[in-house]
Amino acid sequence: MTWSAAQYTKFEDERTRPVRDLVARIPDINVKTAIDIGCGPGNSTEVLAVRFPQAKISGMDSSADMIAAAKKRLPQLDFAVSDISGWQGSETFDIILSNAVLQWLPNHDALLSALVARLNKGGCIAVQIPTNLAEPAQTLMRDIANDGTWTEKLKAADATRHDRHNADWYYRQLHKLGLKTDIWQTTYYHPLAGGADAIVEWFRGTGLRPFIDPLDEAERGIFLSRYRDAVAKAYPALLDGSVLLPFPRLFFVAQRV
C-alpha cells in the first residue's frame, strides 16, 4: 500500500486537531526522550516537539515519502523509515506517541505489551485510533469493493484495516500491564468545502488506499466515481456546497507508574 504525504496534508488542520487534543492530555512529566511512531509527514511530531521542547524527539514511519516530508518539515529532529511491527532496538522512552496508526496493525494485545516495555518508569504512551469503520464513508468503500469486476482484486482490501477494540478493551489491557490510564472518545464534525468531492479527497489519503491501490487506472476512476456518487447521497451538501464529516476517534494516555 502506498502513502502520499501531499495527499495526506490536504486536510492537515483537521487531521492535526486530534493529536493536539491527545498531546495536551499528557501529564507534566520530565520528558528527556520521546518518539512518534507512524509519524507521517511530521505534523504530529511537531505538536509533540512544541509541548516538550527540551526533549530529544524522533519519529518513524514505514513510508519513505512520509519520512522525506517529515525531515523537510523538522530538519532538526531524527526520522527513520521503519515498520512498527518489526521495531528493533533496546532504547526506551518517556513518551511514545501513536496518532492514527495502530488501526493498521494486528494483535493489539501483544503490540501494547511491546510498546509499554519500551516506556521508562513514569513515562506515557499516548494513542489515538480512528473508530469510524461503521460510518458511511467507510462502509461504502466495502460495498463498492464487493460489487464490481474488481471483487477478486479487492477481496483482501478490508483485511488491511484491523479490528479496533472499544474503550473497555483497551482500558483492561492497559490495566493488566499496570498503567494508570486516561481514556476517552470524541466525534469531530469537520466542515469541508467541496461537498462529496472533499470527502473523497480526504479518504484518498487514508482509508481508500487499500481499495484503489490494487486497481488499474480505468478501474480506479470507475471506483472513485461510484464512491463519490454514493458519498453525495450519504452526506448531503449544505446550502453553500460544503459538507459535514463526522469522525469518531478513541484516545488514551497511559502512564507507567
Side-chain angles (χ1 to χ4, degrees):
M1 186 166 61
T2 59
W3 292 96
S4 166
Q7 184 70 33
Y8 183 88
T9 54
K10 284 184 178 181
F11 300 94
E12 181 171 316
D13 286 346
E14 292 86 354
R15 294 193 194 282
T16 305
R17 182 180 173 189
V19 76
R20 290 194 193 104
D21 293 345
L22 174 64
V23 170
R25 295 280 281 268
I26 298 174
D28 290 326
I29 59 176
N30 181 23
V31 179
K32 295 180 178 178
T33 58
I35 187 167
D36 184 3
I37 59 173
C39 63
N43 57 314
S44 53
T45 322
E46 189 171 42
V47 173
L48 190 62
V50 169
R51 172 75 198 278
F52 300 103
Q54 78 286 358
K56 177 186 175 183
I57 295 176
S58 55
M60 56 183 279
D61 198 282
S62 61
S63 165
D65 188 63
M66 290 291 195
I67 288 296
K71 287 181 175 180
K72 184 176 180 179
R73 182 186 195 120
L74 300 165
Q76 74 277 22
L77 302 185
D78 295 324
F79 292 96
V81 177
S82 183
D83 191 334
I84 298 168
S85 60
W87 191 10
Q88 301 295 319
S90 58
E91 186 178 2
T92 57
F93 301 88
D94 298 311
I95 293 177
I96 297 175
L97 175 67
S98 172
N99 181 56
V101 174
L102 297 192
Q103 72 274 13
W104 299 106
L105 298 170
N107 305 322
H108 282 194
D109 50 350
L111 179 60
L112 287 176
S113 295
L115 293 177
V116 169
R118 303 194 71 147
L119 276 181
N120 294 324
K121 186 175 181 180
C124 292
I125 179 171
V127 172
Q128 183 266 121
I129 302 173
T131 54
N132 64 334
L133 288 184
E135 295 292 315
Q138 293 282 355
T139 61
L140 290 170
M141 298 177 198
R142 303 194 288 273
D143 292 345
I144 295 169
N146 291 326
D147 181 26
T149 58
W150 45 62
T151 302
E152 186 66 23
K153 285 185 180 181
L154 300 183
K155 64 181 181 181
D158 200 41
T160 61
R161 306 183 299 181
H162 296 277
D163 290 341
R164 306 169 199 193
H165 304 285
N166 61 24
D168 181 78
W169 187 93
Y170 285 106
Y171 188 90
R172 290 175 181 275
Q173 293 297 317
L174 294 163
H175 183 74
K176 285 195 299 184
L177 293 170
L179 275 69
K180 178 183 178 182
T181 302
D182 176 17
I183 191 164
W184 70 99
Q185 184 159 330
T186 298
T187 297
Y188 295 87
Y189 289 85
H190 300 295
L192 304 178
D197 291 324
I199 294 178
V200 174
E201 283 302 299
W202 176 294
F203 287 103
R204 283 188 69 162
T206 53
L208 276 168
R209 298 248 53 87
F211 295 94
I212 62 177
D213 280 0
L215 303 179
D216 62 36
E217 186 175 353
E219 290 172 325
R220 189 176 301 122
I222 296 170
F223 188 102
L224 289 173
S225 178
R226 287 184 56 185
Y227 180 67
R228 188 262 175 214
D229 291 345
V231 162
K233 293 178 181 178
Y235 299 88
L238 303 175
L239 292 177
D240 64 357
S242 65
V243 67
L244 199 61
L245 176 65
F247 205 122
R249 297 175 185 270
L250 177 71
F251 301 76
F252 61 80
V253 175
Q255 185 173 19
R256 189 172 189 176
V257 295

